[in-house]
Each structure stands twice: as structure tokens, then as C-alpha cells.
Amino acid sequence: MPDYQAPLRDMRFVMDELFDYPAHYARLPAGDDVSPDVVSAILDEGARFAREVLLPLNQSGDKQGCRLQDGDVKAPDGFRDAYRQYVDGGWPGLAAEPEHGGQGLPPSLSMLLSEMICAANLSWGMYPGLSHGAADALRHHGTPEQQRVYLTKLVEGSWTGTMCLTEPHCGTDLGLIKTKATPDEQGGYRISGTKIFISAGDHDLSDNIVHLVLAKLPDAPEGSKGISLFLVPKFLPDAAGEPGQRNGVTCGSLEHKMGIHGNATCVMNFDGATGYLIGAPNKGLACMFTMMNAARIGVGIQGLGLAEASFQNALSYARDRLQMRALSGPKAPEKAADPIIVHPDVRRMLLTQKAIAEGGRMLVLYTAQLIDVVEQTSAGEERERAETLLGLLTPIVKAFLTELGFEATNEGVQVFGGHGFIHEWGMEQLVRDARITRLYEGTTGIQALDLLGRKVLMNQGESLKVFTKEIYLFCKAEADNEDMAAFVAPLAKLNSQWGELTMAIGMKAINDREEVGAASVDYLMYSGYVTLAYLFAKAVKASRQALAQSPTDAAFYEAKIHTARFYFERLLPRTRAHAAQMQSGAESLMGLDEGAFGLGFER
């Protein structure tokens, strides 16, 4: 069975030494409640829960899967008990507001827990993970009565939530949805339609399930401007607010899918189900985006967690597996062969995984600070800046970290060789589970269009300038530091080029909007690599400062600097290819007639 140890040392480095989380927490309104001891206890207990409770259920859940019995879905054995322990531990309400039954701690602490859960058992983690997004949507857009009845239950964890968007004929283009909402005589609505690919759509972990459903009113305008959001519970609450009569929503079937077998991916049928409007009529997409943006960050964390899990197991295997001798001569002459970790290509794969996991963690925790500021501070310049950066970085976190997470899990299989292809080692499961992260909550292509089209070009690059200025100021401050030259010089060059490429694409797009779509994925990947380069450079600076104090764990800081050097020399050069592809324009993509695509096999 694969193993997993939460990377607490690295988490604490990023929090305490790189981003000064203690000072960050002290500036928040609830800062007095977030002492170092509290943070340490949360990290330690979260690590224990992930390894001792969730990890043992990961392979068995994958093998057993979910079952649809007599109209209800049963999660894999052990999942329900693990969820009970999760609720008993108070985890669902960690970052929720006290007025709704939560602990009021910063969202960043919940995000740290999410990484551990995703690394240990992604399928299980999706059940409570979706509830956080549903709770956010109700907190921002629900009525006081909806918050009293439903939000408090989501926060305590006795009820869970879903988001129901996709239909058989439409995924990304939600303006095409056919689900209808008809007003009833009780002041509610009757929801009718079918939704597909609904994660955690039905299960036996919680007492009730709160579905947030996109549907159209009878007089709704055409397209996305006519979408409304509705709350549809599996069981209608009784007078005491407890699950009562069964509502007209059922799981029609379970999807048979490539990965995340332990999570119920459902076809949900709404047959005149009672629902309640959330927010204003025809403004449902804006309400749902509150949930979707949180989910997109959550999916990026999934990519990070799977990368870390794959790296840890690949590293352990590479240390034990004996194959051939090192090219420079035996490294373990007393053994029949050397451990494969001595071979350069194995080290390339391991260091790629290590750089992806550590770089991804820095990006997530940088973003987490922005979320803390947005969620827990009042309006002002700091919050406005945080909102701008969060909008810019959200598609990068979602798409870039899932692209790299999938790469990392594939490298993990490769380190194992043929054994990685065998189920019992658990490495191929990580690949299968990681594959969906590039698809749901908006594919990489959709995130790329959001980044380049909406977040950058739509405001003439002003959002991007906020971030590139931060990088510029860092490079300027370190320009005369010889110890940082190998990192600052290439970073400064790429940071400048980032703006130049943006301007060039924008100028082309004036004459041909297809240029945005043609450049977008390469633009996102380029942006991700430059962002991680900035964070690795900051990590080098922090590590050198720590080494100057002759710490007892000097090897940790030296390894951090070495990983950064590997990233700059081996992964960051990928930006050259992405830049060239961006600059090549749309013609090579759009110039071929549609009918010519299949001339090699069509008659």
C-alpha cells in the first residue's frame, strides 16, 4: 500500500519563513485566535487524520467503488465512519464564521488540511470539499432563513453540498441548460431536469444533501443571462429543521469512470423537486461563481496533493529498488546492484516531482494569504489588491497545478517501471485520479481563456501589472546580491517578457479574436512557470538567510536551494517553447479546412 506523510516541515517553512504567516495572522481581525500553538495543533492533527484514517481507505475505495442500491448510493466501506470522525473533530467548520457555527479561523488553515486530505484520499476528500463551496455560496447569496436552516448544517457537517451545473448536452456553455424552475403555490419552485457528472451527488455519509442547481425560470432571457440558482435538498427539512420528506431528486445512475472511483459521480434527476431561489432571478451564474472559484482553487490543491503523494512513494521506491550500476562506478558495492536513485534520469524524474510539489505548495499558500485578506478584512487598498491578484492567480492555480500534478503522477509511475503499471503499488491510481483534475471545474483551455481573455486583456493588463510589479521590485532589491544572481537575472528577463508577450497578443487580437484562443494555453503555462520561478527565488533568499544562522537542519535549506536551481535550469526553460508557440499566431491552427482533418481515413 502506498504511504503518505504530510510534509509538515516544508509547510512550516513556506508559512513561517517564506510568507511570515504569524505576522499575516496577527493583522487579521481574528488574529488573536491563531497562535503558533493553534496552527501547529491543526497541522499535526490534520496530518494524523490523513495518514491514519484516510490513507488506508484510498486503495480499497478505488477497488470497491460506489454502489447504487434501491435508489440510494452507498460509498465504499469505511468512508462513512471516516466522515463521522471528520465531523466529530470539528473540521467542517474550521474556517466558517462563528455566527453560522464555525470556528472563524482563516481559510488558509483549511487549505493546508485540504492538501493533506487530497494526498491521502482524493475520492473521500471530494465529499466534504464540495460542501465548502456550497456553504460559501449560501453565505454570500442566501437569505437569512436559508442560512439558518441549511448553512448551519453544512458548517457542522451533518449535511453536505453539491453543485449541479452540467447537463448531457452542455458543459462549459451553461447558457444551453434545459433544467426548468416553475414557481409553485408555496413560494418555492418545482425543479425539473437532468444533471450529469455530479460529484458526491448522492451518498450515505451525511443525513442530507443540499444541491445547488442551475435552472431557468419560465420567462428567463436566452443564454447565460437567463440562469438562476436554486437550493434543492435531498430531504425537505421538517419544522424542527431536520431531514423530513424525501424530495423529488434521485440518482439515476453512477458514471463508470477512469478514476476517483470512491466518489459518487452521479446522473441526478430532478422530477418536480422542491427548490428555493438563491439570489436574484436570472443572476444564478454570478452566485454560482462564488462556489466555482472556491472549487477551482480546491482542484488546484488536488493536483498539488497528488503530486506530493506520488513523489513520496517514488522516492521511497527509488531508494530501495536495485538495478544496474551507476555510470561513474558502484555506489553500493556490497549489494547486487545500485539503488536506482543513483541514475541521472531517475533523479530527473524525482526532482521534477519534488519541484512541482514544493513550487505548487508555495503558490497555494501565497494564494491562501490573498483569500484570508479578501474573506476576513474590510474594504480598503489591501483587500482591493488581494482581490485583483486572486482573480489573476485563480486560473493559474487551477490549471497549471493540475497540469503539473498530472505530469508528476506520470513520472511516479515511470520511476517504478513496470511495477508502476500494477494496481497493488498504487501509483497508477494516482494517475487515474489526477486525470480528472484537468477537466472538471473548467478545463485547462477554459481556465486559459479566463486568464488571458478576461483577467488580463479585458482590463488592458492592469491586473497583470500588479503582480509583475511585485516581481520587478523583488528583482530590483536583489539585483546586487551575487548569491541571488543565478535566479534574479532570468526571472527579471522573463517578467519583462511576460508583459511584452501580453501586449503582442493583445495587438493581434484587435484584428483577429482567434489569436486569444490560439495563444491562451501557452500563455497560462508560461505564466505559471514564471510565477513559480518568482516563488522559488524567494525561497532561495529565505533559505540563504536561514543558513547564515547555522541551523541544525541546514540540509533542508541546502536541498531547497538545489531544488530551485533544478527548477530554473530544467523546468523554467519550457517558457521558451511556450513563448514561441504563442508568437506563432492562429494561422497554423485555424488555416486548415475542417473537412481536411480526416482525409487520411475518411471516405
Side-chain angles (χ1 to χ4, degrees), residues 310-327 338-355 407-408 410-418 427 562 566 570:
S310 183
F311 167 59
Q312 289 189 16
N313 287 279
L315 176 61
S316 177
Y317 184 84
R319 286 168 168 166
D320 292 339
R321 177 70 168 172
L322 304 179
Q323 290 288 286
M324 305 189 303
R325 292 294 186 188
L327 296 175
D338 288 332
I340 63 173
I341 197 171
V342 306
H343 302 307
D345 192 57
V346 173
R347 286 179 167 246
R348 175 192 60 79
M349 292 184 283
L350 291 172
L351 280 165
T352 296
Q353 290 181 294
K354 180 176 173 65
E407 176 183 352
N410 275 284
E411 294 288 23
V413 168
Q414 199 73 8
V415 170
F416 274 71
M427 300 302 285
H562 188 99
F566 169 86
R570 290 277 181 161

Side-chain angles (χ1 to χ4, degrees), residues 61-62 66 122-123 126 199 257-265 302 429 432-434 436 440:
D62 178 66
C66 298
L122 174 57
S123 291
M126 292 171 65
S199 300
K257 53 193 190 292
M258 178 179 179
I260 54 171
H261 293 160
N263 193 267
T265 305
Q302 292 176 5
Q429 181 190 344
R432 289 188 287 106
D433 287 352
I436 186 61
Y440 59 15

Side-chain angles (χ1 to χ4, degrees), residues 424-474:
E424 66 188 75
W425 289 96
M427 300 302 285
E428 55 84 31
Q429 181 190 344
L430 297 177
V431 175
R432 289 188 287 106
D433 287 352
R435 187 61 185 86
I436 186 61
T437 64
R438 300 166 65 201
L439 300 174
Y440 59 15
E441 307 307 337
T443 64
T444 298
I446 293 301
Q447 301 301 320
L449 283 173
D450 179 48
L451 173 66
L452 180 56
R454 293 182 67 247
K455 303 298 176 56
V456 176
L457 295 181
M458 193 170 287
N459 62 12
Q460 290 75 48
E462 291 303 315
S463 297
L464 178 64
K465 291 175 185 176
V466 174
F467 191 51
T468 55
K469 181 179 179 180
E470 179 178 323
I471 299 174
Y472 167 78
L473 292 175
F474 171 80

